[in-house]
Amino acid sequence: MLDHNLTAQLKAYLERLTRPVELVASLDDSQGSHELRELLHEIEALNDKITVVEHTDDAERKPSFLITNPGIHTGVRFAGVPLGHEFTSLVLALLQVGGHPSKESAQLLEQVKNLDGDFHFETFYSLSCHNCPDVVQALNLMSVLNPRITHTAIDGALFQDEIEKRGIMGVPTIFLNGERFGQGRMELAEIVSKIDTGAIARQASQLSAQEAFDVLIVGGGPAGAAAAVYAARKGIRTGVAAERFGGQVLDTVDIENYISVPKTEGPQLAAAMERHVRDYGVDIMNLQKAKALVPAASAGGLIEVQLESGASLKAKTVIVSTGARWRNMNVPGEEQYRTKGVTYCPHCDGPLFKGKRVAVIGGGNSGVEAAIDLAGIVTHVTLLEFAAELKADAVLQRKLQSLPNVTVILSAQTTEVTGDGKKVTGITYKDRSSEALKTVELEGIFVQIGLLPNTDWLKGTVELSKFGEIVIDAKCHTNVPGVFAAGDCTNVPYKQIIIAAGEGAKSALSAFDHLIRTSAPTA
């Protein structure tokens, strides 16, 4: 199943194994089991420390396999054939069970080892989901480190009956001890903090005790990363407080317009940005969401950023680069059926709607691209566009029009998401030409109608435009002295990764200029 190049790479990685690994497979006569058997025996042939043991037991799910050590039970299990985006998760699990150390911080690893309780996790993923591997890899690592933790990573497309029974309509979806635990991308530290209830308070106390930064950057997307590098290179004390380092880049699949990088994927670019920032010794405070900003005039000469965790950070200058989030339709039923048919990521959740009827809301590039992708998976796609014409590039429109299972409805104003209490059953829209209300029966709705800036926490403090964007000048100054802003949260046009990075660099240079001028001795 593995091509020559992948086989060679995997063989090299497996040389890092320091102890025997046993792959205990639960199989039947299904096609999935035949594929899994082939994959596992290909892996076995690459290293003599790996042994495959086949069971025809009464395992809950077939095909599935446990990654363990002979005589030592670990809780790492895959249900399905982990290829696609999950192949990396498989490789890491093999290495970690085989004794290769994790790159996570020693403090976090010790915290996982000391978790008190029995935690049985299940993660439903899709092979095309670029958000799922972070969750799968984090929970796999936890189950390697702590014998009271188990984790099963389940390919939702292969276990459709279970998807239907549990009402799962978005991935990754995580269950803990049979109850829903979370959905969407989660990092190891975030998962641990949710089950280690004292972790947030301890971290907040540590953060508040830090000395003031010369430059504090709030937000860890392309703008924040660029600002951090440019500030740190000036030799000044720099910190980054981010809800999740990488921002929306983490949710982006293919990136082909970042100059000098012909093609990459969002998570890869985000990881590269973080490595670059850490190379300069920047203090990255991840999983920290800002709650309020207190200007220097009201905070004793230093700007204060209050975090939702209860921590408070102080700085001489602040750069806001909190980016943007998906825009909601804001219609009845949307919130009720979020993750129950209403979703925002066609790449992640599309495979869960195989053979079903779905709608895409939005006729821009993202909406048309989503419709094209989904048309290859689902029975039928209905694309609804508010305007009288599509706004996507002509080449995308031509591709869309060539697809036989796509219907485009223009001048359509979505008015309601309908459902049966458990999942979406349809969508209602108003024909803006006739004012008539119409309904489309379907099982999924993919919302692709643009972005909203993450600036709610700044209302009443920093000047915002009517769209909620931070108003800045050509040098990224806001109306608050010492506070700068960059990226998608500002009124700078064209929300692009490369533009955000350039604005981040500019904001750091402006902040440094401000520090020089305000700290210069008087004549």
Side-chain angles (χ1 to χ4, degrees):
M1 297 187 69
L2 305 178
D3 62 33
H4 177 73
N5 289 335
L6 200 56
T7 299
Q9 292 174 17
L10 180 56
K11 183 177 176 62
Y13 280 122
L14 295 179
E15 292 298 324
R16 303 176 186 178
L17 298 178
T18 61
R19 57 179 179 240
V21 174
E22 197 169 72
L23 306 179
V24 183
S26 296
L27 305 171
D28 54 21
D29 292 328
S30 66
Q31 179 61 32
S33 287
H34 289 306
E35 292 176 359
L36 180 58
R37 178 182 289 110
E38 181 181 351
L39 174 63
L40 296 183
H41 283 292
E42 285 186 17
I43 294 172
E44 180 184 35
L46 297 179
N47 192 290
D48 58 10
K49 286 188 173 69
I50 299 176
T51 304
V52 175
V53 178
E54 294 191 27
H55 279 191
T56 55
D57 56 16
D58 295 326
E60 181 181 1
R61 301 178 186 91
K62 296 179 181 180
S64 68
F65 67 101
L66 182 71
I67 305 177
T68 189
N69 308 113
I72 304 175
H73 181 79
T74 64
V76 184
R77 180 179 289 274
F78 284 92
V81 186
L83 296 174
H85 285 291
E86 290 305 332
F87 186 69
T88 301
S89 302
L90 169 59
V91 174
L92 283 174
L94 289 169
L95 292 175
Q96 289 161 0
V97 173
H100 190 69
S102 168
K103 293 182 179 179
E104 294 285 352
S105 72
Q107 180 181 1
L108 184 56
L109 296 177
E110 194 64 26
Q111 189 178 356
V112 173
K113 292 176 182 177
N114 292 331
L115 288 172
D116 186 22
D118 295 312
F119 304 98
H120 304 294
F121 287 98
E122 298 166 296
T123 302
F124 287 84
Y125 67 84
S126 70
L127 294 178
S128 60
C129 172
H130 57 281
N131 288 324
C132 296
D134 280 358
V135 174
V136 171
Q137 291 165 22
L139 291 171
N140 280 348
L141 177 58
M142 290 174 66
S143 63
V144 171
L145 295 172
N146 190 321
R148 298 180 69 182
I149 300 174
T150 64
H151 176 230
T152 303
I154 306 157
D155 183 354
L158 201 58
F159 295 91
Q160 287 282 342
D161 290 346
E162 195 165 354
I163 288 284
E164 294 285 345
K165 182 179 179 181
R166 296 202 186 194
I168 298 168
M169 306 191 80
V171 291
T173 296
I174 311 162
F175 288 82
L176 172 58
N177 297 336
E179 301 294 328
R180 280 184 184 257
F181 176 78
Q183 180 158 357
R185 177 188 293 273
M186 296 178 73
E187 298 178 358
L188 178 62
E190 185 176 1
I191 295 170
V192 173
S193 69
K194 285 191 70 171
I195 57 180
D196 184 359
T197 54
I200 294 176
R202 291 196 302 271
Q203 188 177 33
S205 177
Q206 293 170 358
L207 292 178
S208 297
Q210 292 191 103
E211 64 178 281
F213 293 94
D214 292 312
V215 176
L216 174 63
I217 299 150
V218 184
V229 169
Y230 268 72
R233 283 173 60 86
K234 296 295 184 182
I236 56 180
R237 178 167 160 73
T238 304
V240 176
E243 189 171 355
R244 55 174 188 160
F245 198 95
Q248 271 214 318
V249 169
L250 291 167
D251 301 324
T252 305
V253 183
D254 292 329
I255 299 170
E256 300 178 352
N257 57 358
Y258 197 83
I259 307 305
S260 83
V261 182
K263 184 173 182 178
T264 186
E265 294 183 352
Q268 293 176 357
L269 180 59
M273 290 191 302
E274 183 171 355
R275 285 195 300 270
H276 197 177
V277 172
R278 290 191 184 276
D279 282 346
Y280 284 97
V282 173
D283 188 352
I284 296 179
M285 297 158 280
N286 209 6
L287 305 178
Q288 299 297 326
K289 186 176 182 179
K291 181 176 71 173
L293 183 144
V294 182
S298 306
L302 292 171
I303 304 165
E304 181 182 355
V305 174
Q306 298 171 355
L307 305 176
E308 288 194 350
S309 65
S312 177
L313 302 172
K314 294 186 177 181
K316 297 174 184 177
T317 62
V318 168
I319 297 172
V320 179
S321 58
T322 45
R325 63 190 183 277
W326 292 114
R327 183 185 298 273
N328 295 326
M329 296 182 292
N330 293 320
V331 298
E334 179 180 20
E335 189 61 34
Q336 179 184 356
Y337 291 104
R338 186 187 298 268
T339 74
K340 299 175 183 178
V342 176
T343 182
Y344 301 82
C345 181
H347 300 288
C348 299
D349 300 334
L352 302 182
F353 293 85
K354 183 178 180 180
K356 298 180 179 180
R357 300 175 65 87
V358 303
V360 173
I361 312 300
N365 281 348
S366 60
V368 171
E369 287 174 350
I372 293 170
D373 288 345
L374 290 166
I377 301 172
V378 305
T379 297
H380 190 270
V381 180
T382 300
L383 188 147
L384 302 176
E385 165 56 38
F386 181 85
E389 60 183 19
L390 296 179
K391 295 169 286 187
D393 294 342
V395 64
L396 294 175
Q397 292 193 42
R398 288 195 296 271
K399 175 63 177 177
L400 184 73
Q401 292 162 3
S402 72
L403 300 174
N405 61 336
V406 176
T407 300
V408 177
I409 303 176
L410 302 175
S411 299
Q413 180 181 350
T414 304
T415 59
E416 185 179 5
V417 173
T418 57
D420 61 8
K422 295 182 179 180
K423 60 184 179 181
V424 166
T425 58
I427 191 167
T428 301
Y429 70 93
K430 181 174 73 174
D431 184 330
R432 297 177 59 236
S433 302
S434 65
E435 298 295 312
L437 287 178
K438 300 181 180 181
T439 298
V440 179
E441 293 184 358
L442 42 75
E443 290 86 11
I445 300 170
F446 292 80
V447 184
Q448 301 283 294
I449 55 175
L451 303 170
L452 281 175
N454 295 317
T455 58
D456 293 346
W457 62 288
L458 295 171
K459 289 180 179 177
T461 304
V462 175
E463 182 185 358
L464 304 177
S465 72
K466 64 180 180 180
F467 302 109
E469 299 169 326
I470 302 171
V471 176
I472 60 173
D473 65 12
K475 292 187 176 181
C476 299
H477 294 87
T478 71
N479 66 314
V480 178
V483 178
F484 304 83
D488 288 3
C489 63
T490 73
N491 61 339
V492 170
Y494 310 119
K495 311 306 184 186
Q496 298 289 313
I497 294 173
I498 197 165
I499 292 174
E503 289 291 304
K506 189 199 301 181
S507 68
L509 295 174
S510 293
F512 182 67
D513 182 69
H514 175 84
L515 288 170
I516 292 173
R517 295 176 185 276
T518 55
S519 62
T522 57

